[in-house]
Amino acid sequence: MKILSRRSFIIGGSLSLVSYLYFETHSIAVKHYRIPINNLPLPFNGFTILQLSDLHSKEYGKKQNKLLRLLGSQNFDIVAITGDLVDKDNPLIEPGLDLVQGLRHKPTYFVPGNHDWWTGFQFKDQALQMGVKILANQAVKLTKNGEHIWLVGVDDPYLGRDRLGEALAQVNDSAPRLLMAHAPNVFPLAIKFGIELLMVGHTHGGQVRLPFVGAVVVPGQGLFPEWDYGLFSTGKTRMVITGGLGESVLPIRFNIRPEIVLITLMRV
């Protein structure tokens, strides 16, 4: 009887763990941030950015219908995709393009990640044809009711392709500047230049997060990284790190679900 009880306990525990890991990997969370911005033009008070990152060729239903249904129920003004639509070990471009296709009704901006470059940035032309604006060391002006802010994007910091100074040279006034990048390595430089908001991915939140500890390891930062997930603030600069939508290396998540991020700008 004791052997049967022990075996039942092991089987039950194993099934519970498998169910939990499946939930953690396939159930999409919606994360909200409200970011105060000094001197934010009045028309941009409440302006909301949908940040997506690190899809890694993952599919949420046929032609991303599950993910797109979730996105269709959210309110946002623009889309910021912070890299790694594809995965070097699964370089399918269709999942990322299906996602982009489903977002064509909103202005969409993209910065490349390391996996995009490792697979030759094969989807670049198709994304451009779909209206995606690729900001690889570039800046664009976002306008609303005659006022504007700046959206700046740098190429992948993890591979050392970022040129923030070059991108900021295209900014010609003191309006607030929002920065898109794939990896958080650029955070110290963003602080130096006084960037108001930095949006990044790359870390996946660690994919495995220990309670009260956080991520175990992040590429480029090693064990127990400083910048793993969530909101970080230094001076006037705030950084949002999303846990992303897909996985890399191992198809598992623990204590960090896939997520979409909604960032609302607030006037102070």
Side-chain angles (χ1 to χ4, degrees), residues 1 13 33 53 77 87-88 91 102 109 124 133 137 145 148 151 158 160 186 189-191 200 206 218 231 235 259:
M1 182 68 85
Y33 295 95
S53 196
D77 295 282
D87 188 274
K88 68 179 178 64
Y109 301 87
K124 179 179 180 180
K133 300 170 182 65
N137 303 320
N145 298 341
H148 73 271
L151 182 63
Y158 181 69
V186 74
L189 200 55
I191 296 168
V200 303
V218 164
L231 179 63
E259 68 177 19

Side-chain angles (χ1 to χ4, degrees), residues 25 30 58-59 85 87 116 124 133 141 143 145 149 160-161 179 181 192 197 204 209 220 228 243 265 268:
T25 307
V30 180
K58 188 173 180 179
E59 296 179 271
L85 278 179
D87 188 274
D116 302 317
K124 179 179 180 180
K133 300 170 182 65
K141 188 182 291 187
T143 60
N145 298 341
I149 59 177
R161 302 177 66 99
L179 175 61
K192 176 182 177 181
L197 171 64
H204 302 207
R209 294 183 64 79
D228 57 350
L265 308 182
V268 292

Side-chain angles (χ1 to χ4, degrees), residues 55-85:
L55 183 67
H56 284 269
S57 302
K58 188 173 180 179
E59 296 179 271
Y60 288 94
K62 185 177 181 180
K63 291 190 174 296
Q64 302 291 16
N65 60 350
K66 178 184 175 182
L67 175 55
L68 290 171
R69 277 199 304 270
L70 175 61
L71 296 178
S73 67
Q74 311 300 318
N75 294 315
F76 52 91
D77 295 282
I78 66 170
V79 182
I81 304 177
T82 49
D84 280 2
L85 278 179

Side-chain angles (χ1 to χ4, degrees), residues 226-247:
E226 179 180 3
W227 305 314
D228 57 350
Y229 172 72
L231 179 63
F232 297 80
S233 181
T234 299
K236 65 179 288 188
T237 303
R238 290 171 173 82
M239 174 172 65
V240 171
I241 306 178
T242 174
L245 286 163
E247 294 78 47

